[in-house]
Amino acid sequence: MQLDKLGVDIIEAGFAAASQGEMEAISLISKENLRAEICSFARGVKKDIDAVVKSGADSVFLVIPSSDLHIQRKLKKTRNEILEMTAKSVRYAKDAGLTVELGPEDATRADMEFLKEMITKGISEDADRVTPCDTVGILTPEKTYKFYSELREAFPEITLGAHCHDDFGMAVANSIAALKAGADEVHVTMNGLGERAGNAALEEVVVSLKLLYGVETSIKTESLYDTSLLVSRLTGIPVQPNKAIVGENAFVHESGIHTHAILSEPSTYEPIPPEIVGRTRRLAVGKHAGSSGIKAALEEMGIHPSEEHLNEIFRRVKALGDKGKLVTDADLYAIAESVMGLPDSRAIKLEELTVVTGNKVTPTASVRLNLNGNILTEAATGVGPVDAAMHAIRKAVSAVEPIRLEEYHVNAITGGTDALVEVIVRLRKGDRVVTSMGAHGDIVMASVEAMLSGMNVLMSNHNATKRQLGRP
């Protein structure tokens, strides 16, 4: 559903013949009546195509080996047998009412003349699209351009696609090179997921086309970040922090030189406006931070320090950073309160937490919070005690403040079963994003501490205090 809302044209929902569960999943997706074409992967064998038909998918990505290495070593067949398999498989799928996208596997290591012969066979049996696969990612942008230019010239009428793997880190560049050479479509994955090193990342291809080449696609780029988060959560595969477009650090600025310029003119260090991809810029605090960045971060929290106070806050932040400590937004908040003598402004305080878990018990947590003098009580279940506790807190607070957990990370600081656990979370409220940390011998309590600490920063507002202290 999310990929359809994002604007993806064709969704390869799975491999229908892989298992009963896979087929059922594709079938459920096919029944959603989405705008996107629903496709299933299949090999060039009858039973695979039958499974696609049974799943209710609109189309089949029919993958048949094209390189001698795969033909001889994997399938133990001859080129003529592959040509016969291609013709029969395409015809069988077409007669079954499927849209057929022929995918010559390992095409970039195949003999070009044989590849053309194979594509001709597919087209003669009414294949709708042809997508030669760079199965092990050995193309370079220069080779990609030459490869697709030659195929485009040989087959000017067919819809031509590119399927690039990222083994050498060039899948995105190769995909764009293929489009420049005349390809009509590219296969991409959210967050660059895929076999081994993955495939071309959807978000990188789309944003590069939009901002570097002036080419618009059907993708709603403002939904890219939310889609990335959803995919990461559902697959259990975290996105690396420095990942382009959707990584945690993609729009985070810490260096004092950078933040000073960003505050004056964002384009000095931001080639991509964050709002285009559903992101917001964040100024991080740490040993490389400058006073301008720290001041801006504090003002976003509603804290307006004098120059003297700012200098002391700046010194303490640097000192923490020099000790190798990650300085979170919650840390900065606490430092500022201490330096400026501000009253404790924590909106949320934990009154009570109870967690029940076991091998025959659904993990359940109940929580009682004090929110600005009002007692909130809530309970929730989860996949484990931490998940249950976090759900309970979010349920209790969400009625008042819509705060979303974007990232959760845990480290064991010390060894042994009694290890001190450090939990770092990233939370969002509207356009504001903060980080916070909790440390405790109990992972549940460490998680709760981190969660509440971050929520308190998001809900902070010292503007009233500022006026009481006589500052403008």
Side-chain angles (χ1 to χ4, degrees):
M1 292 290 285
Q2 181 63 26
L3 291 176
D4 190 61
K5 291 176 183 176
L6 184 65
V8 171
D9 297 307
I10 304 168
I11 299 172
E12 187 179 314
F15 180 9
S19 68
Q20 184 62 32
E22 190 93 344
M23 181 188 288
E24 289 174 0
I26 297 171
S27 180
L28 288 172
I29 294 169
S30 298
K31 291 175 182 176
E32 288 293 324
N33 295 317
L34 303 180
R35 179 197 63 83
E37 176 185 310
I38 305 303
C39 178
S40 170
F41 175 94
R43 297 165 297 183
V45 294
K46 184 176 179 294
K47 71 180 184 67
D48 280 17
I49 299 169
D50 288 339
V52 177
V53 174
K54 187 177 179 181
S55 74
D58 303 308
S59 63
V60 59
F61 183 41
L62 192 59
V63 177
I64 300 173
S66 62
S67 70
D68 288 332
L69 177 63
H70 278 232
I71 292 170
Q72 296 167 11
R73 299 288 182 172
K74 186 173 76 172
L75 294 188
K76 312 296 184 186
K77 291 185 180 295
T78 65
R79 286 185 175 185
N80 284 335
E81 287 175 311
I82 290 299
L83 293 176
E84 183 180 359
M85 178 189 291
T86 300
K88 286 184 176 180
S89 298
V90 172
R91 176 45 51 199
Y92 186 74
K94 288 296 294 184
D95 288 346
L98 294 170
T99 296
V100 177
E101 182 163 341
L102 176 62
E105 186 180 17
D106 204 27
T108 55
R109 293 193 294 183
D111 174 72
M112 179 58 85
E113 292 310 310
F114 175 71
L115 177 61
K116 289 178 182 177
E117 192 175 355
M118 182 178 175
I119 293 172
T120 300
K121 278 287 186 184
I123 293 174
S124 70
E125 297 295 338
D126 300 324
D128 300 279
R129 303 187 289 264
V130 175
T131 300
C133 303
D134 185 23
T135 303
V136 292
I138 52 89
L139 285 180
T140 63
E142 297 81 8
K143 289 179 180 178
T144 302
Y145 189 85
K146 180 181 178 183
F147 179 82
Y148 279 94
S149 293
E150 186 170 345
L151 290 178
R152 181 80 286 169
E153 183 178 355
F155 306 101
E157 302 300 324
I158 193 69
T159 298
L160 190 62
H163 180 103
C164 301
H165 279 263
D166 206 36
D167 295 78
F168 286 88
M170 289 188 277
V172 170
N174 290 341
S175 296
I176 292 173
L179 291 171
K180 288 182 67 179
D184 303 291
E185 70 170 43
V186 286
H187 287 193
V188 291
T189 60
M190 199 68 225
N191 299 340
L193 295 178
E195 288 284 343
R196 303 183 311 279
N199 292 72
L202 181 153
E203 63 277 8
E204 294 179 27
V205 171
V206 168
V207 175
S208 294
L209 287 173
K210 182 182 180 72
L211 297 184
L212 300 181
Y213 294 90
V215 176
E216 293 292 340
T217 66
S218 60
I219 299 300
K220 298 176 178 65
T221 58
E222 65 277 7
S223 296
L224 283 171
Y225 184 54
D226 282 344
T227 305
S228 170
L229 290 174
L230 177 64
V231 169
S232 178
R233 179 172 64 81
L234 293 177
T235 60
I237 301 175
V239 177
Q240 66 191 62
N242 61 334
K243 169 80 170 61
I245 316 297
V246 295
E248 178 189 349
N249 296 340
F251 297 96
V252 174
H253 307 275
E254 180 183 330
S255 167
I257 297 172
H258 287 207
T259 55
H260 181 75
I262 281 284
L263 291 168
S264 175
E265 173 50 61
S267 65
T268 51
Y269 287 101
E270 280 182 352
I272 303 167
E275 61 275 8
I276 283 181
V277 295
R279 302 293 304 271
T280 54
R281 126 181 3 98
R282 186 164 67 84
L283 303 181
V285 293
K287 65 181 294 182
H288 299 112
S291 58
S292 295
I294 289 176
K295 182 180 180 181
L298 288 170
E299 287 178 345
E300 195 171 63
M301 299 174 188
I303 298 176
H304 302 264
S306 65
E307 185 173 349
E308 181 183 351
H309 285 152
L310 179 61
N311 288 336
E312 177 59 18
I313 293 167
F314 179 69
R315 186 192 69 77
R316 294 194 189 186
V317 167
K318 289 281 190 179
L320 276 178
D322 283 338
K323 292 177 182 178
K325 187 182 186 308
L326 171 69
V327 184
T328 67
D329 296 298
D331 292 327
L332 176 62
Y333 182 70
I335 289 170
E337 285 192 323
S338 174
V339 169
M340 297 172 67
L342 298 174
D344 183 355
S345 64
R346 288 180 299 162
I348 312 172
K349 296 175 182 175
L350 178 66
E351 296 285 340
E352 184 180 312
L353 172 68
T354 303
V355 178
V356 179
T357 189
N359 68 329
K360 293 185 178 181
V361 177
T362 300
T364 304
S366 61
V367 64
R368 190 170 71 196
L369 302 175
N370 185 321
L371 177 59
N372 292 322
N374 297 312
I375 299 299
L376 303 176
T377 303
E378 194 57 79
T381 59
V383 296
V386 171
D387 191 43
M390 301 288 254
H391 279 174
I393 290 172
R394 289 207 303 274
K395 281 179 68 178
V397 177
S398 63
V400 181
E401 296 286 350
I403 295 174
R404 184 174 76 179
L405 174 66
E406 289 200 339
E407 186 170 330
Y408 174 91
H409 184 72
V410 61
N411 292 317
I413 302 174
T414 58
T417 57
D418 60 346
L420 181 64
V421 176
E422 180 182 86
V423 171
I424 301 167
V425 299
R426 188 171 78 242
L427 304 172
R428 174 186 290 272
K429 175 189 172 187
D431 289 339
R432 285 190 65 192
V433 177
V434 302
T435 57
S436 59
M437 182 176 65
H440 201 281
D442 182 332
I443 188 172
V444 176
M445 289 306 302
S447 302
V448 169
E449 284 180 9
M451 190 79 171
L452 294 181
S453 182
M455 284 181 164
N456 276 316
V457 174
L458 284 173
M459 296 173 69
S460 66
N461 189 346
H462 276 286
N463 288 314
T465 304
K466 173 190 69 176
R467 289 191 293 272
Q468 289 171 8
L469 295 176
R471 289 190 297 273

